[in-house]
Amino acid sequence: MNWRRFFTRAQADAELRQELESYIDITAEEYVARGMTPDEARLAAQRKLGNLTRIQEEVYEMNTATFVEATLREFRHAMRMLRLNPAFSITAILTLALGIGATTAIFSVVYGVIIKPLPYPKPDTVVWVGHSALFGTVRTPNFPFSPQWLVTYAENNRTFQELGIWTRGTAAITELGDAEQANTLFVTQGTLPALGIPPTLGRWFSHADDQPGAPETVILSSAYWQRRFAGDPGVIGRVMTIDSRPREVIGVMPARFSFLGPSADLIVPLRLNLAQPPPDFNYAAVARLKPGVTLAESNADVARMLPIYKEKYAGNRMDSLQLLPAVRPLKDDVVGNVGQLLWILMGGIAIVLLIACANVANLLLVRAESRGQELAVRTALGAGRLDVARALMVESLTLSLAGAAIGVGLAYGGLRILLAHAPSSLPRLNEITIDLPVLVFAVATSVVSGLLFGLVPIAKLASPKFVVHLPEFIRSGTRWASAGKSQHRSQNFLVVVQVALALVLLISSGLMIRTFQNLRKVEPGFTAPATVQTLRISITPGQLAEPERVTRMQSEILDRLAAIPGVTSAAFVSTLPMDPFGANSIAPAEGKDYGNVAPPIRTIKFISPGLFKTVGTRLIAGRDLNWVEIYEQRNVALVSESFARQEWNSAENAIGKRIHVGVTGPWQQVVGVVADIYDDGADKKAAAIVYWPARTQEFMIGPPFVPRSVAFAIRSSRTGTESFLHDIRQAVSAVNPGLPLFQVRSLQEVYDQSMVQTSFTLVMLGIAGAMALLIGIVGIYGVLAYAVMQRQREVGIRLALGAAPGAVKGMFVYRGMILSAAGIVLGVAVAAGITRWMSSLLFGVTPIDAATFAAAAAVLVLAALAASYIPARRASIVDPVKTLRGE
Amino acid sequence: MPRGHSPLQSEMVQGTLDMLILRTLVLGPAHGQTIAHAIEQGSEDVLQVEHGSLYPALHRLHHRGWIASFWGTSENNRKAKYYRLTPEGRKQLASHKSRWEEVVRAISRIMNPAPEKKR
């Protein structure tokens, strides 16, 4: 076997021919020398050489991988056959392209989000160092990390190679074009080394950078560096004004660097005082394990160090939390809870692909029948059953690979649309691409599909039964009549499977529709969110140091906003309703015994007066705050209805009771109770919320507190218009031109965002369901249309004998209905078995919801009726005379 | 399809033609015609090389890497494909030769058995 020759066949052949010709020439010359005439000599020489072709063939075989060769030949033959029958080929290839394309697109998401390792060196050793804690009856898996733990673990651990803590926030960048609020990652020195991605320019933070009092530094993200510095490598050493303080740029991260959550523009050292670490719990920790250390060992290590921490810092205060170590792969936190959702979508799309395969198998069956003669002739000429099977399989694979080629194109386009509409809460969006593993998946999928639907005609045509019938075929030249019955059985089976699978998808999308409806029905705790404009403004300590002046500036902004024409009211709050980035803490009620465990975790918000009026939250008991209470820092508070019920059994009872936030702190008196807001999403229980005045003497154990970053809510019918935003910008810059607005959106957008995961699932499953329905219906139509064509003669006779066209029509529609009925029974059974996998995505509807099942079945029946009616009608208008004469 | 039998293929142990070709090429590069001549003349025309099997054999040896080929000019100025022995071919020839001699000895022992010793 000579591969070079194999691939340069033409050249090798020419060379051999030339060699043999030169032989004939030389021999002929000899013969001439011996006295023959040139013609005789040439003939004699040729005789001596023997059969030229046979020599060529013999040499040829030496150079051939017979199997590969034959397969390539079959491939070329298959291409010819497909070109000969374009209607069939295009239908089959497009069906497959849709199935494979959709599967590939979703797989690229599954791969990019769930399967692909995190983009860090040795990603399995990068861990989230967490703790779980018990509050009330709930163990939260994500108790925030404290700098005191950082110090304890840094000194005592045996399993971490690097350890750092981080938090997110924003920072105002001024004196560099327009003022802007940049997403910022605040880290300690060990965080970036734990992730292990060095900057492309400059360096990581050193221990010195992370010390309070040292010159302040910043590392830029690649995107920000490109955007604001046009990728200038001379940026290192430049000084930027961040939150009104100068910071030297010491590094630029590479473009591939990404971390949990939204991409950060800036990375800034936390500069905690590690000699006396503050006792706050506002951070998350990331670590790189030492080589060979397992998660279990690391968890044991943390469990060993927790008592050291308690002895050194916390006294007995943390005992009631019942902390447990929770060191886990960072990927778990990156992927979060979308894993199941994506796998469900993947399953849905795989069903579409299966239906597509069944459809193509059906097409192939129909075609195989008309090709019986061709294959019979091949067999008669000496092709074995294996050769016939190979020919058929190569054709199927050609179809599926062509489908994959187009499908990858579709997937590429589809993925761009999908990513543009994907929920921003979907992690790792920037890592989703159609890369090599995805392409391998596409090819593997198409080969598996090809094998799957390719086996169906092979089972028919390469079977011994077929071979027995060969003589009839060749003799009569007719279609393979004797195979008709089993052929129908296979076709019917495939249609039933298609209908069943389509029904499963329809039911799944139906359940999502019901879920979405139910979510929309929940009153979120605010009204007409489309007419509430929101935006966020931060006032940094660099701009205004004194808390009181911050409050005055916020109040002045409110006055200006309220004076804009068309504004009915305005207020601010630390986190908007349904905004997931709120603050949590315990908020014990005075005189209440929580037993040995910590009180439950509550949502804490800081508000200005007028918030509830602005967003439309009902006041159930008591009254709202007023500005005097804020300026005088009176110890008052409002609570949500759930909070009041949980602590004091009713809203009315809450008035006059006292609570505080955190472990200690001044008692604040409840002056009002407001309606529940579904802060954690309409599908969750209403959050128990504590509303604190936007300025307090003391918050938890800290000094006088004022929220510096607040969201303004403005009720106006002008919400979202350009002119309104212009007025708002003017109003704010009249107060202070150095205040960038960010997160400008309507409350409706916040509300939609809270159910984006559900709507995304709904749309994706809806698309899958629609595709399934379409392909399944085409399947029913195809089989019936084929049956009509096949039984044209019979129908002609019936009509000639006086059968009513209606009865003929009924006959075919009946068959379509029987098939879909069988499919629906099967589909309902399958759906009842598998919809419980999606119960975590559902809200207000059980996975076996009778109404949804019935509705989906009804849709399918109607579609099937339409699909059967068209061919049935064609049968009923058969002209008996023409049909009978034609045969 | 029935195939013709060349004298060498039918009458001699398989592989013999290969060995003879290799042996011929020990003397220097040659084209097909010369090789056939050399075998015929060397065997005093007892062995007739049918060219129908010569060329496949040449190609077989070529693929095994025992001989190499190049285009040259024949004695009377014709373009012809020449073959020469490769080091690997030389090794193969040696081993073929010793095996061949073994076979010949074995056959001749059978054909001319030594008279049995009398008891």
Side-chain angles (χ1 to χ4, degrees):
Chain A
M1 179 67 231
N2 181 329
W3 284 102
R4 191 184 61 78
R5 275 180 172 257
F6 177 65
F7 287 114
T8 55
R9 165 65 39 71
Q11 197 199 332
D13 281 352
E15 238 179 65
L16 178 64
R17 244 190 332 274
Q18 211 180 342
E19 181 179 8
L20 294 176
E21 262 156 32
S22 82
Y23 160 79
I24 290 174
D25 289 344
I26 292 170
T27 313
E29 263 171 35
E30 253 180 53
Y31 289 163
V32 171
R34 284 191 209 159
M36 284 193 198
T37 67
D39 285 354
E40 277 172 354
R42 213 172 161 76
L43 278 174
Q46 267 164 5
R47 259 199 307 280
K48 179 140 196 210
L49 185 59
N51 186 338
L52 246 168
T53 313
R54 192 172 65 71
I55 296 175
Q56 275 182 347
E57 265 179 7
E58 207 167 309
V59 173
Y60 188 84
E61 265 167 32
M62 276 182 233
N63 292 326
T64 303
T66 340
F67 181 79
V68 178
E69 178 83 358
T71 305
L72 277 179
R73 201 170 51 233
E74 291 297 352
F75 175 72
R76 281 193 294 271
H77 181 71
M79 293 296 275
R80 272 201 302 279
M81 295 303 290
L82 295 181
R83 269 204 302 275
L84 275 179
N85 204 338
F88 161 79
S89 316
I90 289 172
T91 313
I93 290 174
L94 281 188
T95 308
L96 288 170
L98 267 183
I100 294 173
T103 314
T104 304
I106 296 296
F107 178 77
S108 70
V109 176
V110 168
Y111 180 76
V113 175
I114 305 175
I115 302 175
K116 200 194 275 188
L118 293 179
Y120 309 124
K122 293 198 200 131
D124 350 325
T125 64
V126 183
V127 295
W128 174 290
V129 185
H131 300 83
S132 69
L134 195 62
F135 289 96
T137 53
V138 184
R139 179 164 280 280
T140 65
N142 259 337
F143 191 70
F145 204 87
S146 162
Q148 295 183 334
W149 279 327
L150 175 67
V151 172
T152 310
Y153 296 174
E155 283 170 5
N156 297 291
N157 87 82
R158 294 166 189 163
T159 53
F160 302 137
Q161 191 172 314
E162 303 282 354
L163 172 68
I165 66 177
W166 56 276
T167 186
R168 283 184 172 283
T170 59
I173 302 173
T174 44
E175 295 168 31
L176 188 75
D178 289 338
E180 76 172 316
Q181 201 74 31
N183 284 324
T184 306
L185 190 62
F186 298 90
V187 300
T188 59
Q189 183 273 330
T191 306
L192 293 179
L195 299 178
I197 300 203
T200 40
L201 282 180
R203 59 178 177 84
W204 275 329
F205 299 120
S206 63
H207 283 285
D209 293 322
D210 204 18
Q211 294 292 317
E216 298 194 43
T217 50
V218 60
I219 292 178
L220 308 181
S221 79
S222 172
Y224 186 81
W225 175 55
Q226 294 291 348
R227 183 154 53 89
R228 294 309 286 264
F229 294 97
D232 173 18
V235 73
I236 303 295
R238 278 188 63 169
V239 174
M240 294 170 68
T241 305
I242 296 170
D243 281 349
S244 313
R245 297 171 69 90
R247 281 184 185 272
E248 184 190 338
V249 177
I250 61 155
V252 175
M253 292 308 281
R256 69 194 158 90
F257 174 76
S258 65
F259 195 43
L260 286 132
S263 59
D265 299 317
L266 309 177
I267 309 175
V268 164
L270 270 167
R271 297 157 60 100
L272 299 165
N273 179 1
L274 296 182
Q276 282 172 316
D280 47 354
F281 293 87
N282 294 324
Y283 304 93
V286 62
R288 183 173 285 273
L289 297 180
K290 286 181 176 161
V293 170
T294 64
L295 279 178
E297 286 165 355
S298 183
N299 271 307
D301 196 27
V302 171
R304 177 184 62 82
M305 291 185 290
L306 272 171
I308 303 179
Y309 150 77
K310 280 182 184 166
E311 196 175 328
K312 188 167 176 189
Y313 293 107
N316 297 320
R317 262 185 27 212
M318 303 304 285
D319 286 352
S320 60
L321 288 180
Q322 302 183 11
L323 291 166
L324 288 175
V327 180
R328 54 190 185 255
L330 185 64
K331 200 166 154 194
D332 288 4
D333 289 275
V334 171
V335 175
N337 62 353
V338 300
Q340 200 199 359
L341 164 77
L342 291 180
W343 283 119
I344 287 173
L345 290 184
M346 188 76 207
I349 285 294
I351 291 181
V352 172
L353 181 62
L354 273 181
I355 297 177
C357 284
N359 227 6
V360 174
N362 232 331
L363 283 173
L364 284 173
L365 270 182
V366 171
R367 213 167 94 89
E369 180 155 339
S370 54
R371 289 184 63 189
Q373 209 187 352
E374 174 209 334
L375 296 174
V377 170
R378 277 182 166 215
T379 313
L381 288 180
R385 266 164 60 195
L386 207 65
D387 294 314
V388 171
R390 179 172 59 197
L392 291 171
M393 189 44 88
V394 166
E395 254 185 67
S396 300
L397 288 176
T398 307
L399 278 178
S400 68
L401 286 175
I406 300 175
V408 166
L410 290 180
Y412 188 78
L415 186 62
R416 294 180 68 162
I417 298 172
L418 191 153
L419 289 184
H421 294 91
S424 56
S425 57
L426 193 62
R428 307 177 78 187
L429 272 182
N430 60 337
E431 292 178 51
I432 301 170
T433 51
I434 295 191
D435 48 11
L436 187 65
V438 176
L439 287 177
V440 168
F441 172 85
V443 171
T445 307
S446 76
V447 169
V448 171
S449 328
L451 291 175
L452 208 62
F453 65 72
L455 282 175
V456 175
I458 287 179
K460 290 275 128 185
L461 289 181
S463 69
K465 218 159 112 199
F466 171 77
V467 178
V468 169
H469 290 292
L470 271 181
E472 298 169 27
F473 256 121
I474 298 173
R475 227 185 2 254
S476 65
T478 56
R479 282 160 190 270
W480 185 13
S482 53
K485 205 157 199 176
S486 81
Q487 170 114 359
H488 284 163
R489 257 206 307 278
S490 329
Q491 287 191 343
N492 289 347
F493 171 74
L494 287 171
V495 165
V496 167
V497 167
Q498 280 184 319
V499 170
L501 291 176
L503 183 66
V504 170
L505 272 184
L506 282 184
I507 289 173
S508 310
S509 353
L511 289 172
M512 285 316 290
I513 292 175
R514 291 292 300 270
T515 295
F516 197 65
Q517 284 174 339
N518 291 338
L519 283 181
R520 288 273 164 180
K521 261 187 241 157
V522 172
E523 279 182 29
F526 44 83
T527 52
T531 57
V532 178
Q533 179 72 56
T534 76
L535 52 98
R536 189 168 272 278
I537 295 177
S538 296
I539 301 169
T540 63
Q543 285 166 322
L544 278 181
E546 304 84 353
E548 192 190 337
R549 289 183 59 199
V550 172
T551 306
R552 290 205 180 279
M553 186 177 277
Q554 287 167 339
S555 149
E556 195 182 336
I557 293 171
L558 268 191
D559 292 344
R560 298 250 179 193
L561 290 175
I564 294 174
V567 173
T568 47
S569 71
F572 64 80
V573 59
S574 53
T575 42
L576 287 169
M578 286 191 158
D579 185 336
F581 302 102
N584 297 303
S585 179
I586 55 171
E590 190 177 26
K592 185 130 184 192
D593 183 13
Y594 295 94
N596 281 334
V597 296
I601 286 263
R602 309 299 194 184
T603 302
I604 314 293
K605 297 191 179 197
F606 296 90
I607 56 168
S608 76
L611 175 77
F612 302 111
K613 184 178 146 235
T614 306
V615 300
T617 307
R618 224 157 17 94
L619 195 63
I620 290 176
R623 59 173 179 85
D624 194 4
L625 299 175
N626 58 53
W627 278 105
V628 175
E629 284 164 334
I630 291 199
Y631 280 119
E632 295 186 355
Q633 301 172 40
R634 294 211 190 132
N635 291 333
V636 290
L638 279 83
V639 296
S640 72
E641 193 182 356
S642 318
F643 187 97
R645 286 191 190 284
Q646 284 173 33
E647 295 289 1
W648 304 289
N649 296 324
S650 84
E652 288 70 29
N653 286 350
I655 305 299
K657 299 285 189 331
R658 300 206 302 172
I659 53 174
H660 71 69
V661 167
V663 188
T664 64
W667 292 107
Q668 313 251 112
Q669 191 168 42
V670 176
V671 297
V673 178
V674 291
D676 278 333
I677 292 180
Y678 285 81
D679 238 24
D680 306 326
D683 55 336
K684 305 282 186 333
K685 274 203 302 193
I689 307 175
V690 174
Y691 296 98
W692 234 233
R695 183 165 165 240
T696 56
Q697 241 167 355
E698 197 181 338
F699 180 64
M700 299 178 84
I701 35 181
F705 176 85
V706 61
R708 286 176 173 275
S709 170
V710 292
F712 286 82
I714 310 155
R715 176 73 74 174
S716 169
S717 54
R718 293 172 66 199
T719 295
T721 61
E722 204 42 55
S723 71
F724 190 46
L725 291 180
H726 175 80
D727 290 352
I728 291 174
R729 274 196 204 93
Q730 268 198 330
V732 173
S733 70
V735 177
N736 183 333
L739 293 177
L741 313 184
F742 62 112
Q743 291 178 5
V744 180
R745 53 193 175 164
S746 73
L747 192 56
Q748 179 75 40
E749 289 170 62
V750 183
Y751 173 67
D752 290 343
Q753 186 66 33
S754 78
M755 36 190 84
V756 70
Q757 201 150 308
T758 302
S759 50
F760 178 68
T761 315
L762 168 66
V763 169
M764 297 308 292
L765 277 182
I767 291 174
M771 283 168 71
L773 185 64
L774 185 74
I775 302 178
I777 288 311
V778 168
I780 297 184
Y781 170 81
V783 165
L784 287 181
Y786 176 71
V788 167
M789 195 186 75
Q790 225 184 11
R791 291 167 65 183
Q792 218 161 35
R793 191 156 170 232
E794 176 205 326
V795 169
I797 295 172
R798 279 176 188 250
L799 289 173
L801 291 179
V808 170
K809 228 186 282 181
M811 189 173 76
F812 286 101
V813 170
Y814 177 71
R815 181 165 167 215
M817 287 296 102
I818 290 288
L819 288 181
S820 33
I824 284 169
V825 169
L826 184 62
V828 164
V830 172
I834 67 174
T835 45
R836 64 197 157 87
W837 293 108
M838 60 188 292
S839 56
S840 72
L841 304 182
L842 302 181
F843 174 68
V845 56
T846 63
I848 308 179
D849 178 57
T852 309
F853 275 54
V859 168
L860 205 54
V861 166
L862 284 180
L865 202 59
S868 333
Y869 183 77
I870 301 170
R873 206 181 97 80
R874 197 180 304 152
S876 70
I877 55 173
V878 159
D879 180 350
V881 179
K882 213 190 259 171
T883 321
L884 294 178
R885 199 175 279 159
E887 286 280 325
Chain B
M1 190 192 300
R3 299 211 155 152
H5 296 275
S6 71
L8 268 175
Q9 269 181 347
S10 59
E11 287 175 15
M12 309 198 70
V13 184
Q14 217 194 347
T16 310
L17 178 59
D18 292 3
M19 183 176 72
L20 293 177
I21 292 172
L22 292 176
R23 177 68 187 84
T24 311
L25 290 177
V26 168
L27 305 170
H31 57 74
Q33 168 72 352
T34 319
I35 295 171
H37 268 305
I39 292 173
E40 285 167 7
Q41 282 166 11
S43 66
E44 291 168 350
D45 286 337
V46 170
L47 300 176
Q48 286 294 320
V49 178
E50 196 185 290
H51 296 67
S53 35
L54 174 68
Y55 282 98
L58 282 170
H59 280 265
R60 189 163 55 241
L61 294 171
H62 190 226
H63 298 158
R64 288 179 191 156
W66 297 355
I67 60 176
S69 69
F70 58 92
W71 285 95
T73 320
S74 73
E75 306 77 25
N76 29 25
N77 263 340
R78 294 257 172 213
K79 203 178 167 205
K81 199 167 193 181
Y82 276 74
Y83 294 91
R84 66 178 171 77
L85 210 54
T86 64
E88 175 62 24
R90 209 171 284 277
K91 249 188 275 169
Q92 289 295 333
L93 175 61
S95 79
H96 268 72
K97 196 174 165 220
S98 62
R99 211 177 320 132
W100 168 254
E101 279 160 0
E102 236 170 74
V103 171
V104 169
R105 271 198 302 278
I107 292 174
S108 60
R109 267 199 300 277
I110 295 164
M111 298 307 285
N112 312 306
E116 278 181 44
K117 284 182 191 160
K118 286 169 190 162
R119 293 221 165 147

